[in-house]
Amino acid sequence: MAEKYEQNLSIINSSNVRGATKLPVLTIGLGRVGDLKDVAGVIWHDEDGNVVVSTKENPTGIVYNQDLTLVVRVIGGKVLIGGQYDMYCPASNKIDGLLSNPVNLEDELTAEQLAELQPLFEATTSVVPSMAPSVPNRKVVVITQDLLCGDDHLPCQLPLSWTDGVPSYTDLYDGDVFLVEDEESGKGYRIGAQEFAETHVLD
């Protein structure tokens, strides 16, 4: 396993791993990926019939395991960050916990925010809003300039569980955060600087 995350291990071994707590975040379940309808520039079907999702880490699209549940988060009162939804597919063993605290969207969001989410709601028959609980004792590395290489970025492999065994890469930039899932193997993933600042506190 470790060789698959060699670049990630380099980050961990070259830096100070710190503790962090994830804050409660409004998280909306959108149902099974394979059941979603197309949303222009956001969700579409590829030539093999798989549903592809554009995410902040993979704006050109990522093919998740079609049985996973897609979620969208509202962070810092923003539905769209840089014109993109904050969407991803949690691991199957985490989805129930994320969606365990139901809330009423009309109580949580403005009419404008709801309108921005409407294209996603129209693409699914399942909308499950929840205030995802806080998560303590996370391990993170704050990316600094000395950890970067090349054109000010360093490729980092995302967890294979997110991509159904297909390697997927994203770029790390100064100020981003690498969340360490396993220090020994190097498994982990990127959290953008803005997203981290609005969803976590460093211990």
Side-chain angles (χ1 to χ4, degrees):
M1 175 68 76
E3 65 273 11
K4 295 182 179 179
Y5 301 106
E6 183 177 352
Q7 200 74 66
N8 298 2
L9 284 169
S10 174
I11 295 172
I12 294 169
N13 295 332
S14 303
S15 57
N16 178 30
V17 178
R18 303 180 61 179
T21 297
K22 181 181 178 183
L23 304 173
V25 177
L26 179 58
T27 303
I28 305 168
L30 297 172
R32 180 178 174 272
V33 172
D35 296 333
L36 294 169
K37 299 176 184 176
D38 290 2
V39 178
V42 179
I43 300 171
W44 62 92
H45 286 74
D46 67 12
E47 59 211 18
D48 297 319
N50 294 310
V51 171
V52 185
V53 180
S54 173
T55 67
K56 289 180 64 58
E57 289 76 20
N58 296 83
T60 58
I62 185 170
V63 178
Y64 285 109
N65 180 323
Q66 301 290 285
D67 289 325
L68 291 177
T69 298
L70 183 68
V71 303
V72 60
R73 303 191 302 174
V74 179
I75 297 177
K78 303 180 189 72
V79 171
L80 296 170
I81 299 175
Q84 289 183 291
Y85 294 106
D86 186 84
M87 296 193 299
Y88 72 106
C89 287
S92 56
N93 63 351
K94 294 183 179 180
I95 188 65
D96 288 345
L98 289 173
L99 302 181
S100 63
N101 185 25
V103 295
N104 188 323
L105 285 181
E106 284 72 20
D107 294 337
E108 300 291 335
L109 301 176
T110 66
E112 180 181 358
Q113 291 169 324
L114 287 169
E116 289 178 330
L117 286 165
Q118 194 59 34
L120 299 181
F121 295 163
E122 292 175 356
T124 182
T125 57
S126 175
V127 177
V128 183
S130 170
M131 190 62 68
S134 63
V135 181
N137 304 318
R138 293 189 131 190
K139 295 180 179 180
V140 300
V141 173
V142 179
I143 302 301
T144 54
Q145 194 67 37
D146 60 311
L147 292 174
L148 303 176
C149 63
D151 296 327
D152 293 335
H153 66 273
L154 186 65
C156 146
Q157 191 167 46
L158 290 173
L160 299 182
S161 58
W162 284 19
T163 54
D164 197 22
V166 180
S168 178
Y169 296 85
T170 189
D171 291 336
L172 288 173
Y173 295 89
D174 191 13
D176 286 348
V177 171
F178 180 74
L179 190 142
V180 182
E181 292 186 298
D182 184 79
E183 283 190 76
E184 185 174 341
S185 70
K187 187 177 180 181
Y189 57 90
R190 169 191 177 270
I191 303 177
Q194 180 179 357
E195 290 87 344
F196 184 83
E198 293 177 338
T199 60
H200 289 74
V201 290
L202 290 169
D203 297 342

